[in-house]
Amino acid sequence: LKYAYLYAKTVTLIPTHDKKTNRIMMRNRRIGCSQSGIQQAIAKFGRRAFFNNFCDLGYERIQQLDLAYSEWLCVPKSIKTTSVKPSGTVSLLPGSTAGIHHAHSEYYIRNITVQKSSLLVPACIAAGFTVEDYVYDSNSKVVSFPVREENFAAAKADVSIWQQFKDAADMQTYWADNQVSITVTFAEEEADQIKLCLESFEDKLKSISLLPLIDHGYAQAPYIQITKEEYEKMCSKIKPLVLNFNTHEAEDKFCDGDACEIRL
């Protein structure tokens, strides 16, 4: 928590190119120390221990740090300090569940799309991973990685709309003073409960998104549920992945969201 706080606070000391942004940033010093792998932590440590020890005490610790370092740096305390972000790549790298969301399932295939010319393609083939032509782009390949979620409790399709609202509200209560980012998924038979859920938690959440659980029908989807037997069969073919090359296949500069430009 200390290192996460120090990094976030330090960023507020660096001016941007926009004077208006700088004025707001210098006044508010807003930061957002976030948690990920939340559902795994709840399953591993227990719900009460997680919210009391990780969230409540963790929030207190960040406030202590902010008081001490703001005085030392001669800057205002941060008006907001903690959050739960969507957490995409940051969660994928250590293999944790994204933000507050539940895992896709206990066993699943994680499909990754790479350029056909990438040196990763022959390396993955040699290691025994399944590599296929991407059906939506002739210049790409899809590499399939079998995954087993550790500390698995429930898949997102098995968790009720009420439980997801409750999880978000508890994180907002015990941890996040910024907004908790969550997309609540709901089954068709739960659609008539949305209004009551929103009314029940309207004073406990800053905002919330909802998405129906539907069969998208896409081939080679990013997440595909499999059985334990299928997982073990795929794993039995895998050997160590040898990456004995050193190259940058793509370099992003001046990026804003999904759009990047390279200035010469």
Side-chain angles (χ1 to χ4, degrees):
L1 286 175
K2 180 178 180 179
Y3 295 140
Y5 164 79
L6 284 175
Y7 171 79
K9 191 73 172 187
T10 301
V11 171
T12 72
L13 306 176
I14 304 170
T16 71
H17 65 283
D18 186 82
K19 292 182 179 180
K20 183 178 180 181
T21 298
N22 291 339
R23 285 196 299 270
I24 296 171
M25 186 168 66
M26 291 172 66
R27 181 175 66 248
N28 296 337
R29 302 288 169 175
R30 182 192 294 266
I31 62 175
C33 297
S34 181
Q35 291 192 38
S36 203
I38 292 169
Q39 298 301 337
Q40 289 169 313
I42 291 174
K44 182 176 182 178
F45 300 105
R47 191 175 186 89
R48 186 46 47 206
F50 171 72
F51 284 112
N52 283 348
N53 300 334
F54 285 78
C55 297
D56 209 17
L57 294 181
Y59 182 81
E60 277 186 36
R61 177 61 176 150
I62 287 183
Q63 305 319 303
Q64 294 166 1
L65 291 168
D66 192 40
L67 176 61
Y69 280 97
S70 295
E71 290 182 355
W72 183 66
L73 292 167
C74 300
V75 298
K77 286 188 62 184
S78 297
I79 63 168
K80 303 292 182 183
T81 57
T82 52
S83 64
V84 176
K85 302 171 188 174
S87 186
T89 306
V90 173
S91 299
L92 291 175
L93 286 173
S96 70
T97 50
I100 195 173
H101 295 104
H102 287 265
H104 182 76
S105 57
E106 184 172 9
Y107 300 94
Y108 61 88
I109 294 172
R110 181 70 170 99
N111 283 324
I112 305 293
T113 305
V114 296
Q115 292 180 341
K116 186 178 287 186
S117 59
S118 171
L119 294 177
L120 289 169
V121 172
C124 289
I125 293 174
F129 291 99
T130 301
V131 180
E132 302 173 328
D133 290 333
Y134 188 35
V135 297
Y136 301 108
D137 182 4
S138 60
N139 294 318
S140 300
K141 291 278 191 179
V142 173
V143 184
S144 299
F145 297 91
V147 178
R148 177 183 180 272
E149 287 287 352
E150 294 186 18
N151 302 305
F152 176 80
K156 62 182 180 181
D158 301 326
V159 182
S160 73
I161 186 175
W162 287 96
Q163 182 62 57
Q164 294 174 76
F165 266 83
K166 175 62 174 170
D167 289 345
D170 283 348
M171 287 303 294
Q172 196 75 73
T173 300
Y174 291 97
W175 172 254
D177 48 23
N178 285 292
Q179 179 183 323
V180 172
S181 176
I182 183 173
T183 299
V184 172
T185 53
F186 61 93
E188 184 178 356
E189 60 271 19
E190 293 180 309
D192 60 351
Q193 301 175 43
I194 293 175
K195 180 176 181 293
L196 184 56
C197 281
L198 291 171
E199 291 174 343
S200 300
F201 290 93
E202 65 180 357
D203 59 343
K204 298 176 178 65
L205 295 170
K206 294 176 183 287
S207 178
I208 199 160
S209 301
L210 293 106
L211 184 70
L213 278 171
I214 57 175
D215 183 7
H216 50 71
Y218 290 116
Q220 299 171 320
Y223 297 90
I224 298 177
Q225 184 173 349
I226 57 175
T227 63
K228 179 182 179 181
E229 291 71 27
E230 290 172 318
Y231 167 80
E232 291 175 345
K233 183 178 179 181
M234 292 181 71
C235 287
S236 67
K237 302 175 182 178
I238 296 174
K239 297 174 291 185
L241 181 64
V242 179
L243 301 176
N244 55 358
F245 52 86
N246 182 17
T247 180
H248 272 294
E249 296 178 353
E251 187 171 355
D252 295 338
K253 295 183 178 179
F254 305 104
C255 297
D256 180 13
D258 295 327
C260 298
E261 63 174 313
I262 297 178
R263 299 175 184 174
L264 299 177

